[in-house]
Amino acid sequence: NAGVTQTPKFRILKIGQSMTLQCAQDMNHNYMYWYRQDPGMGLKLIYYSVGAGITDKGEVPNGYNVSRSTTEDFPLRLELAAPSQTSVYFCASGGSGLNEQYFGPGTRLTVT
Amino acid sequence: QKEVEQNSGPLSVPEGAIASLNCTYSDRGSQSFFWYRQYSGKSPELIMSIYSNGDKEDGRFTAQLNKASQYVSLLIRDSQPSDSATYLCAVKGSGAGGTSYGKLTFGQGTILTVHP
């Protein structure tokens, strides 16, 4: 049982490039979330999903897109990367009961 | 704007002491409350959850919730150097129409250092 996995661990992008951050969970959770964490700050919700085919914006969605075609996978797409998107990105999943969320190891992204 | 505020840090305590971490929240309809521990360069790890008023104990950790005062705290007894980390308070709000889809609002975190 791997829990929540994320790839890649690190990435450097040039301004204007695009990339997809991958996230997968094997706990059969309905709910999945993407957060970003800037240095010394808490976590900000980017997008979330309550099930396959259902996604919605969080607090800071601009510059990002998501899709959820299966229960297991929830990729985050960055289009036209900007320096403001330099951050650590965490994916999390949770059940619909107690709503405890479990986090992946994170992706550290630098945009230069 | 729903807010979660944690006591400003960093907090430094000697080994063996009690560390007290505090959190207040603005959404009076909030239902569930969580404490996460985050080591430097690592992801948040759930260490405590609390859903009703009062105390909940798990080993050296005690979470306390007072919904009337909109206050939640985490006590760490017999603090160890391995407890040195950032502690994040997270709150599940009431959401529009009473449905929040498990979304959490996080505080900014309190850095705890336990020195030998």
Side-chain angles (χ1 to χ4, degrees):
Chain A
N1 194 338
V4 181
T5 58
Q6 292 183 240
T7 56
K9 286 186 171 56
F10 304 93
R11 184 72 185 268
I12 298 174
L13 280 183
K14 294 190 184 302
I15 294 172
Q17 288 185 322
S18 300
M19 76 165 294
T20 298
L21 281 66
Q22 300 292 343
C23 174
Q25 54 96 5
D26 62 2
M27 296 175 282
N28 202 33
H29 286 158
N30 288 328
Y31 296 169
M32 295 187 74
Y33 312 86
W34 274 106
Y35 295 91
R36 60 176 289 170
Q37 185 176 37
D38 298 322
M41 303 294 287
L43 294 144
K44 301 290 187 185
L45 182 65
I46 305 171
Y47 269 95
Y48 68 100
S49 169
V50 301
I54 307 171
T55 63
D56 204 352
K57 297 177 181 178
E59 186 181 354
V60 291
N62 291 343
Y64 307 95
N65 272 302
V66 293
S67 60
R68 183 127 180 244
S69 57
T70 67
T71 299
E72 293 79 19
D73 299 298
F74 190 39
L76 178 71
R77 177 81 175 165
L78 277 73
E79 305 282 1
L80 299 175
S84 61
Q85 292 178 306
T86 294
S87 191
V88 181
Y89 291 85
F90 290 105
C91 178
S93 73
S96 55
L98 294 177
N99 296 136
E100 296 177 349
Q101 291 186 19
Y102 299 93
F103 285 79
T107 295
R108 187 174 298 273
L109 175 67
T110 302
V111 182
T112 62
Chain B
Q1 178 77 5
K2 297 170 186 175
E3 295 182 347
V4 176
E5 298 285 339
Q6 295 185 236
N7 54 325
S8 58
L11 177 65
S12 181
V13 301
E15 185 173 356
I18 295 175
S20 177
L21 304 160
N22 304 315
C23 176
T24 59
Y25 58 94
S26 63
D27 182 0
R28 187 168 287 278
S30 297
Q31 303 168 0
S32 308
F33 307 86
F34 306 92
W35 284 99
Y36 285 83
R37 177 177 62 200
Q38 187 176 26
Y39 292 115
S40 181
K42 301 296 186 181
S43 60
E45 173 193 10
L46 180 65
I47 57 172
M48 288 290 285
S49 56
I50 187 165
Y51 305 98
S52 55
N53 280 328
D55 294 359
K56 178 182 177 182
E57 187 174 318
D58 184 0
R60 294 185 296 111
F61 298 98
T62 299
Q64 300 174 316
L65 175 61
N66 184 326
K67 289 186 179 180
S69 300
Q70 295 175 240
Y71 175 91
V72 59
S73 66
L74 179 71
L75 300 178
I76 306 174
R77 291 184 302 281
D78 188 23
S79 296
Q80 301 296 311
S82 58
D83 295 325
S84 298
T86 297
Y87 289 80
L88 298 165
C89 173
V91 176
K92 173 177 171 276
S94 52
T99 302
S100 70
Y101 300 113
K103 290 184 290 181
L104 300 179
T105 300
F106 284 82
Q108 76 278 22
T110 299
I111 299 172
L112 171 66
T113 301
V114 181
H115 53 88

